[in-house]
Amino acid sequence: NAGVTQTPKFQVLKTGQSMTLQCAQDMNHEYMSWYRQDPGMGLRLIHYSVGAGITDQGEVPNGYNVSRSTTEDFPLRLLSAAPSQTSVYFCASSSGLRELFFGEGSRLTVL
Amino acid sequence: AQKVTQAQTEISVVEKEDVTLDCVYETRDTTYYLFWYKQPPSGELVFLIRRNSFDEQNEISGRYSWNFQKSTSSFNFTITASQVVDSAVYFCALRSNAGNMLTFGGGTRLMVKP
């Protein structure tokens, strides 16, 4: 049982480049979300989805897009990367209001 | 809006000491869920406990115990006889029944020295 899988684990981008962080879960969870973790700021919610075809903004959505075409996948897109988006990104999923299961994280550096 | 505050940013103890990590939350909802997660140096987030707002019974799991007090909006976490392997960042989090957002506190970095 793979749980929540994120790729890539590490990525370096130049300012202005675009990229997609992939997230997949095999637990048939309806809820999926993306967080970013910055030093001293805990985890902040970027976007979330309560099911296929449904997405909504979290606390810090600017500069990011998401889509949810299937229950399993929830990719996060950076349209034009900025140094302020240097962070560690976590994807998570849950069933109902139970605990979130997190991926291993993706460390992104924007130069 | 909901908020979680972990006032202790860093705690350092010597092995075998007991340590309590504080968590204070704010929410207007009457039904909500509180969580604790552990993030060891390897970086993954490990679920420790989930507690709903109607269950104020304290919980003990081995060396770990949790004290939920609705009257003070606190959900504190105590590690008894700490060990070096307990060194990690610990996060408290809140999720309302009405919403879909899990709000995290800023985390407490616990360092257990041998």
Side-chain angles (χ1 to χ4, degrees), chain A residues 31 35 37 41-43 45 48 50 58-59 90 94 96-100 102, chain B residues 33 35 37 39 43 45 47 50 91 95-97 99-102 104-106:
Chain A
Y31 180 88
Y35 287 83
Q37 183 178 21
M41 300 190 74
L43 286 88
L45 182 64
Y48 65 93
V50 297
E59 184 184 355
F90 287 95
S94 73
L97 293 172
R98 299 200 64 79
E99 67 272 18
L100 292 186
F102 285 86
Chain B
Y33 299 84
F35 302 82
Y37 282 85
Q39 187 175 42
L45 285 151
F47 165 74
R50 169 183 179 260
F91 291 98
R95 189 175 194 180
S96 73
N97 192 43
N100 287 298
M101 296 179 63
L102 183 64
F104 282 82

Side-chain angles (χ1 to χ4, degrees), chain A:
Chain A
N1 191 345
V4 179
T5 303
Q6 287 181 234
T7 55
K9 288 188 169 42
F10 300 94
Q11 183 72 50
V12 179
L13 291 177
K14 295 180 180 178
T15 298
Q17 287 185 319
S18 62
M19 76 156 299
T20 299
L21 296 174
Q22 301 291 345
C23 176
Q25 53 93 8
D26 61 0
M27 298 173 281
N28 202 32
H29 286 168
E30 65 276 12
Y31 180 88
M32 296 186 75
S33 54
W34 276 102
Y35 287 83
R36 60 177 288 173
Q37 183 178 21
D38 302 297
M41 300 190 74
L43 286 88
R44 292 181 293 168
L45 182 64
I46 304 171
H47 286 285
Y48 65 93
S49 168
V50 297
I54 306 170
T55 64
D56 207 344
Q57 296 181 352
E59 184 184 355
V60 288
N62 292 341
Y64 307 95
N65 273 359
V66 292
S67 59
R68 184 96 180 269
S69 55
T70 67
T71 299
E72 295 77 21
D73 300 300
F74 191 45
L76 179 71
R77 297 182 187 83
L78 283 72
L79 304 176
S80 178
S84 60
Q85 293 178 304
T86 293
S87 188
V88 180
Y89 292 85
F90 287 95
C91 179
S93 73
S94 73
S95 173
L97 293 172
R98 299 200 64 79
E99 67 272 18
L100 292 186
F101 290 84
F102 285 86
E104 293 182 342
S106 299
R107 185 175 295 275
L108 174 66
T109 302
V110 183
L111 303 174

